[in-house]
Amino acid sequence: MLRAARGIYCYPKIEKVYGLGPVPPSLEDIAGAMAKRDGAKIAPTGLYAQYQLGLTQQIPMNVVYLTNGVSRTINIGEGKSIKFKHSSPRYFAIRSQLALLLTTALKDWKVENLTEEQISIIKTKLNENPRLQVADLKLMTSKVRELIISLYE
C-alpha cells in the first residue's frame, strides 16, 4: 500500500518494462477515486481541461476540478495539489464529456485569443464526435456555444 496523501492510500502500479518499480498514481486517478468514494461528479477546469483537450502542452502542478460535492483541497506533496470547487449543477447536467471539457476549458478565455492551431484542434475534436446535443449546447456559456456553432458551419 502506498500513501498518496493524508488519508488516501492506493496500490501502486509496478512498471516492469524499464524496471522503475512502483509508479505513483496520477492526479487524475486520485481525483477520480475521491469522486467515486464520495459519490460526487467532477469536471476538470482551467489549464488542466485545456491540457486534456490538447490546447496546451503545459501540465499544471495544481489541478482544479468542479464538483457537485464538498469543496476541499488535497495536498499530494512535492508542491502538487488537487482542488475541488463546489459548482452549479448546470455544469453536471451536460451529458457529453467533450461539451463539458470545452465549457470548462474555454469559459475564461476570450475567443479572439484562440490561435488557428487551437481552433483546428477543437474542430478535430468536434469532428471525431457526432453533433453535440441541443440540450448540451443550451447549457454551455454563450461565448463557448457561439464558437462551437460557428465551427460546425
Side-chain angles (χ1 to χ4, degrees), residues 49-69:
Q50 295 165 13
Y51 173 74
Q52 283 190 333
L53 283 170
L55 300 179
T56 182
Q57 297 300 314
Q58 297 177 16
I59 303 173
M61 292 287 284
N62 301 312
V63 179
V64 180
Y65 284 92
L66 297 178
T67 182
N68 62 351

Side-chain angles (χ1 to χ4, degrees), residues 84-134:
F84 294 99
K85 286 179 159 181
H86 184 75
S87 179
S88 165
R90 180 181 116 210
Y91 286 109
F92 300 104
I94 298 175
R95 291 188 182 121
S96 166
Q97 183 66 26
L98 177 62
L100 183 58
L101 268 177
L102 285 169
T103 302
T104 59
L106 300 177
K107 72 177 184 174
D108 297 329
W109 271 12
K110 292 185 178 179
V111 176
E112 303 86 40
N113 294 346
L114 289 172
T115 64
E116 291 298 322
E117 181 182 345
Q118 290 169 330
I119 291 174
S120 68
I121 290 170
I122 294 171
K123 277 185 183 179
T124 304
K125 296 279 185 189
L126 290 173
N127 288 335
E128 289 173 0
N129 295 317
R131 282 198 175 274
L132 298 178
Q133 295 179 359
V134 175

Side-chain angles (χ1 to χ4, degrees), residues 19 38 40 47 54-55 63 76 101 145:
D38 297 343
L47 189 60
L55 300 179
V63 179
I76 304 299
L101 268 177
R145 179 177 49 242

